Every structure is written in structure tokens, then in C-alpha cells.
Amino acid sequence: MSAIIEMERVSFSYATASDGAYALKDIDLSIEEGTFVGLIGPSGAGKSTLASAITGAIPHHYQGRLFGSTRVAGLDTCEASLTDIARFAGSVLQDIDAQMVASVVEDELLFGLENFGVDHGEIEGRISSALDAVGIADLRHREISTLSGGQKQKVAIAAILAMAPRVIVMDEPTSALDPASARGVFEVLRRAKELTGMTVILIEQMVALLAEYCDRIVVIDRGRIALDGTPADVFAHGDALRTIGVDTPRTVRISNSLAEAGLTSSDSPALTLDEAESLVAGILAPEPSKRAPVAPCGAGNRVDARGDLDDERPIVVEVSGAAYSYGAGRAGVEDMDLTVRAGEILSIVGRNGAGKTTFAKLLNGLLKPSSGHVRIAGLDTRTTPVSTLASHVATLFQNPDRQLCRDTVVEEIAFGLELQGTPTQLARGKARDVAATFGLPGDASPFNLSRGQRQMVALASVVALEPELIILDEPTSGLDYRECMTVMETVRARALAGAAVVMICHDMEVVSDFADTLAVMAEGRLIEVGPCREVFANDALLAHAHIAAPCVPALGKRLSARFHPSFARVTEVADLVAIVKELKDHA
């Protein structure tokens, strides 16, 4: 099979880089046609730059110093026009709004097809097939401005699929998608690869999906290729990946932990739930123990460790019968009832378009309920000015770029404090401390940072205000593993200090690790609110809401039915391994 992407000794430094540092350095990369390749690495490692080099955006759009050569389907990207390259390589950008050119979904797909002269007899079939493939046929005539972030993401993916390029390059395609939709995108891409021979290149943080679907994983670190191989080869280097700042799938953690405990000698990591289940079965089979082990305390007991959240802690969020409608043809929310206490981390989950962001805007006062009540720290949002609410609630929006407006990171973090009346010198001193906590360069321009780093700046601005309520709309979107842990440990610290946290999140592993309570939304309603463990155990509810249980609870449920009921309680890798060990010891 011939290579469709060939990069030889490619180095690139952006013209805007003040220190002249290289975003890419000596990249040698050959990708065979028809392969499914995942690009992973920490924020700022050069992944998006590498994607830009492959699609011809470098050198035709981004200026700087470029060395080496890149060929796409035989075309030298320096010699061929961007239009010619685009006939072979399509891309979905990290900033979806910047990619949209039309006002209606159908026109967005039509734009590329007509511009590339696709025969009119083919256009209808291509549009219908692409919309069906990503599950948004019902959005065909919707205005793009009315869509949620996840729905826009699907439109962008459909528009590229309709073009049927030989190479498709996607930068964080699932960052705004619910778990079912994210898996659906991977399935669509795998089918396209198998049916048409399309080459798929994904920059992605969802390592579990990459491990399951990719033929090859390329790890980028500081502009260079650090690791390159099959998913099994790459994810076997767990310690090296953690050092770089990249996560491994939970199934890999499970297999590694079982090996470290001396329970298995297998040196091949488990990449899927099926493989992890088979690994455990090989340890416990043929006859599981009938003795009931004592289940260790883990994340499932996190609420107990922090105190009973149903006690008399102050109520920060009180929603009663709240509803909001955007008008005919546009989804809103209705019959919303919710209470969140000080110190509680509540995660709102559900499919794209379920009303999660609308609900968040009701909580911060940007939208006023058409009926019912929303009270924040005792203040009714219908009668309290947003400026007054802002001293009690701070929000991290889905797109961090809509929150950034100052010249440096420190000025950005200090901005909200200054608006609340904190003297400039004191505000900037605190901002420097917060920037250091997040590992951010205080004097850098936020606009020159990577997408993940900009997300960190926006969150740091929220945290610095120390509000009573923190609302986070996809706080870990686009973050690497190290950044994600920094962000969520900081959020947990604010909760321990007494803040209530409401977090919209599609990453069920993050939800399982950090949330106390889960609020499930579907069709503009709250259909369930309860402890994470109980909600994740309800398969019918999860299917209705298009979400999936995290890896460890999902595996625990399988093992509970097959071996011992104690597995049903696990939420942490350590808990699962401890039960396996005790069952093995008493077999």
C-alpha cells in the first residue's frame, strides 16, 4: 500500500513566535492510504501545527519559517495551491465557528460541493448520506446559529464527509460531543475508511476511542514525534506517556495494575472492555470464589470523605419548576427542579441539544426563566441584575475565546477581580498566583496560546473570583491529561473550600472521578438526579440519555454478573484490582 502523506525533515516556526521557537522540528512521517491514525500529545506539543502542514494551511495560510517537504497524494504543499490540496484532504478545525460559512445546515454542506463542481445529480445523495451518517438529518433546515456546540461539530463533520476526500484530518472532533455521538463519529469514520479507502487522521484526547479504532498512534511532544506504533505498542509505555502529559485508557491502567499486583504476567495492555474482562476472567476462572470479600473504599465513597452532602449545608442553587423557550422550532428547557449545596460538585450530562447549556445560562442569569424560579445564593435571577449575580456566580463557557479580551494572561485573570473593585496591584498579584497554580505563562498573550491553554486561562479567571457558584461548560474540552488533572483538582479544591460547582461534561471518566451528583438531561428536562454510582448503574436511563458508563463501573457490572457482586460497587481501578486479588487469594 502506497503512502498518501509523506513528510521529510519538516520543521516550522510561526512568524508570530517571539522567541523563534519551532512548533515542529524534524518531522519524518509517512502515512499509508486507508489507515486510521490518531495524533496525541500535550497542549502546545504541535499537533494542530502538524495537521495544518498536512492540509496545506502551512504554508498557504500560516506564515513562518518552513523547512523540509510535505506531499499529499503526490502534491507538494509548497507548490500546489490550497484549493488543489483541498480536493484530496479535508479538515475539521478545532474552532468550529471559524469553519462555518453558511447560515443554514443544508447550505453549509452545499457550499463545498458546489465550489468543487460536484455533479448536481450527486449532490442530494451526498448531503443526505452525510447528514444521516452523523445523525443530524433532522437539523437539515435549521439555522446554524440556533445549534448547540456539539450539533455544530456534527455539521462540520458532515460537510467534510459529503466532500468524500481521500484524506480527512480532524482536530478534536469529539470535544463537544456526547459519548454516544463521539463513538458514532468514530464508527462513521471507520466505515468510510473500510468502504472507500479514506485515510483518517485524528487529533484527539479520547484515548479509549483511539485505542479501539485506530490502526496507528503517533505521539507528539514539543514539536517532535515521541512514540509511533500500534495502539498496543504505544499505550504499553504508560509511564512515558504520563511524563509527556498524555493519558492512557482506563482498561490499560487496569491491566497494568493487575500486572503490578502480580496477578497476571501479560505484557500486552487491554485496549477495550472486552479485553479487560477476558484478562480478569483468565485470573479468576474456572471457579470464582463464593466468599464475599470486603469491598475497599474508593471514589464511590467520596461523599462520605467530604461529609454528607444532604446535611444542612447552605443551598446555593435552588431551581423550582423553571422553564425557558427560544420560540417555535427551537428547543428550550421545562419543569426544571434542582438543588445544589455548598461544597457539592454536580455534573449535568446528556446528549447534544438536550438543553444543558440553556440550563447553565438560566443559572448564571443570562437567561430569565419564563416560568418557575431560579435562585442563586438566595437571589432570584428574574429580579436580580446580572451585574449583581456576577459577584456570586462565575461561568466558564464552552468556547474560551469568547471570554478572553486582555493582552496578557495575568491581566486576563485579574480583569474580573478589578471589575469587582479589587485594586489593580492586589488583583494582579493574586492573578500571578493563580496563573502559577495552572502552570500558565503570566506575561504571554492568551491569543498566542494553544486551545487547551486558552481554556486554562479562562478557567483561571473564573477560579480567581472565588464565587459561591462555579458553572463549567465542558471544562476539560481540548485539555491534555496533565491540564485536565490540574483543572479538576483546582475545581475540587474550590468545592472543598465551600463553593458549589455545576459542571456540564461529556467525559464520563472525569465525571466519575470528580462529581458527587449526576443530573441527567434529555429533551429539555431533568430526567434523573442522584449519586453517580446509582445513575451509572441504570442502563435504560443511560441509553435514553445517549451517555455511557465510565470504564471501571461498566467493567465492574460485567464482572459482578459473571463472578461476584462486590464488583458492582467499584468506581476506581484500585478497588477493582483489590477485589480480584482477594477473590484470587481465597479461590
Side-chain angles (χ1 to χ4, degrees):
M1 193 177 294
S2 60
I4 193 167
I5 305 293
E6 296 177 284
M7 304 182 76
E8 297 181 4
R9 306 289 292 176
V10 173
S11 297
F12 181 74
S13 175
Y14 287 99
T16 55
S18 57
D19 56 0
Y22 283 92
L24 295 177
K25 187 66 175 176
D26 296 329
I27 296 292
D28 286 310
L29 183 65
S30 178
I31 297 177
E32 293 183 341
E33 189 161 13
T35 54
F36 199 135
V37 181
L39 295 180
I40 60 176
S43 287
K47 305 184 298 296
S48 295
T49 303
L50 181 59
S52 294
I54 291 173
T55 60
I58 294 173
H60 296 288
H61 181 67
Y62 297 106
Q63 301 301 308
R65 294 183 295 166
L66 174 64
F67 302 92
S69 67
T70 300
R71 291 184 177 274
V72 180
L75 297 177
D76 189 309
T77 57
C78 287
E79 297 175 357
S81 70
L82 195 55
T83 299
D84 287 338
I85 297 169
R87 294 181 185 278
F88 296 96
S91 63
V92 176
L93 306 176
Q94 209 169 24
D95 185 353
I96 294 300
D97 289 329
Q99 186 159 349
M100 298 295 172
V101 297
S103 59
V104 176
V105 170
E106 180 182 60
D107 292 341
E108 183 68 31
L109 275 67
L110 194 59
F111 178 81
L113 296 171
E114 289 188 333
N115 272 276
F116 281 116
V118 174
D119 186 271
H120 279 271
E122 295 183 31
I123 287 179
E124 172 57 31
R126 288 205 191 188
I127 290 177
S128 296
S129 296
L131 292 173
D132 287 338
V134 294
I136 55 171
D138 59 318
L139 302 181
R140 178 167 183 161
H141 302 295
R142 281 275 296 275
E143 291 187 10
I144 291 174
S145 62
T146 70
L147 303 180
S148 69
Q151 289 170 324
K152 290 179 183 178
Q153 194 103 352
K154 292 180 181 180
V155 171
I157 294 170
I160 294 301
L161 289 175
M163 296 294 297
R166 287 175 63 184
V167 179
I168 185 166
V169 182
M170 296 189 175
D171 197 346
E172 303 282 359
T174 69
S175 61
L177 300 184
D178 59 70
S181 295
R183 178 169 290 276
V185 167
F186 272 76
E187 284 288 351
V188 166
L189 294 173
R190 177 158 68 182
R191 287 199 303 271
K193 177 184 89 78
E194 293 172 349
L195 293 173
T196 69
M198 176 189 292
T199 302
V200 180
I201 302 173
L202 294 189
I203 298 172
E204 184 57 79
Q205 300 291 346
M206 301 296 287
V207 290
L209 288 175
L210 292 177
E212 184 175 347
Y213 285 88
C214 287
D215 306 310
R216 178 180 175 188
I217 302 289
V218 179
V219 183
I220 309 297
D221 183 32
R222 290 173 288 186
R224 298 176 183 269
I225 295 177
L227 291 168
D228 184 359
T230 66
D233 291 338
V234 170
F235 288 124
H237 296 83
D239 291 340
L241 292 172
R242 293 289 180 86
T243 300
I244 291 171
V246 174
D247 198 9
T248 54
R250 295 297 168 101
T251 52
V252 173
R253 294 194 204 177
I254 291 168
S255 56
N256 288 344
S257 296
L258 290 170
E260 291 168 4
L263 296 169
T264 176
S265 58
S266 174
D267 57 1
S268 179
L271 298 180
T272 65
L273 275 177
D274 289 344
E275 292 179 8
E277 182 183 3
S278 295
L279 185 62
V280 174
I283 298 169
L284 298 181
E287 289 295 331
S289 171
K290 302 303 181 185
R291 179 178 182 272
V294 178
C297 292
N301 295 319
R302 182 169 53 247
V303 174
D304 296 335
R306 292 174 45 193
D308 186 356
L309 290 173
D310 291 327
D311 62 9
E312 295 304 315
R313 293 188 185 198
I315 293 175
V316 178
V317 176
E318 187 175 13
V319 182
S320 176
Y324 182 84
S325 174
Y326 291 100
R330 295 186 59 186
V333 297
E334 56 185 332
D335 296 331
M336 305 294 284
D337 292 287
L338 186 70
T339 298
V340 186
R341 294 181 179 273
E344 182 177 2
I345 301 177
L346 178 140
S347 183
I348 303 176
V349 300
R351 71 181 306 180
N352 298 119
K356 302 184 299 296
T357 298
T358 298
F359 187 37
K361 290 178 179 178
L362 285 173
L363 296 182
N364 62 23
L366 290 180
L367 297 177
K368 308 297 183 183
S370 53
S371 62
H373 297 277
V374 176
R375 294 183 177 87
I376 305 300
L379 302 174
D380 191 317
T381 61
R382 289 188 303 179
T383 57
T384 305
V386 173
S387 57
T388 301
L389 288 172
S391 63
H392 299 275
V393 55
T395 305
L396 173 68
F397 294 102
Q398 211 167 27
N399 185 346
D401 294 338
R402 294 179 178 175
Q403 291 182 251
L404 305 178
C405 60
R406 306 306 292 269
D407 292 332
T408 69
V409 168
V410 165
E411 290 174 3
E412 188 65 52
I413 297 173
F415 185 52
L417 293 167
E418 292 173 9
L419 288 177
Q420 290 187 356
T422 304
T424 298
Q425 186 173 355
L426 187 61
R428 295 194 177 183
K430 183 174 182 179
R432 287 195 179 278
D433 292 340
V434 174
T437 298
F438 282 88
L440 294 166
D443 295 325
S445 168
F447 305 102
N448 289 337
L449 302 179
S450 69
R451 167 65 169 74
Q453 289 171 317
R454 297 198 302 276
Q455 183 92 342
M456 298 269 279
V457 173
L459 180 60
S461 303
V462 168
V463 169
L465 296 173
E466 298 184 357
E468 292 158 85
L469 172 62
I470 298 174
I471 300 173
L472 309 171
D473 197 348
E474 297 297 344
T476 63
S477 172
L479 301 185
D480 63 41
Y481 172 74
R482 187 184 294 116
E483 290 173 336
C484 179
M485 290 301 101
T486 298
V487 164
M488 293 312 303
E489 290 295 350
T490 303
V491 169
R492 176 181 279 167
R494 291 307 311 148
L496 289 170
V501 178
V502 174
M503 174 177 69
I504 297 171
C505 189
H506 287 312
D507 189 331
M508 295 301 111
E509 303 296 349
V510 170
V511 171
S512 178
D513 287 346
F514 292 94
D516 304 303
T517 311
L518 210 53
V520 183
M521 288 193 68
E523 292 87 41
R525 294 172 178 265
L526 278 171
I527 60 173
E528 186 67 41
V529 179
C532 290
R533 182 192 301 171
E534 293 179 10
V535 174
F536 283 136
N538 189 333
D539 290 340
L541 176 70
L542 299 182
H544 179 64
H546 292 260
I547 58 178
C551 172
V552 176
L555 179 59
K557 188 166 187 177
R558 291 189 186 188
L559 297 176
S560 172
R562 188 171 177 182
F563 293 104
H564 198 284
S566 290
F567 282 114
R569 301 176 57 188
V570 299
T571 57
E572 293 283 352
V573 172
D575 299 351
L576 188 145
V577 173
I579 294 174
V580 173
K581 188 175 190 307
E582 186 159 351
L583 285 170
K584 179 69 173 176
D585 290 344
H586 292 85

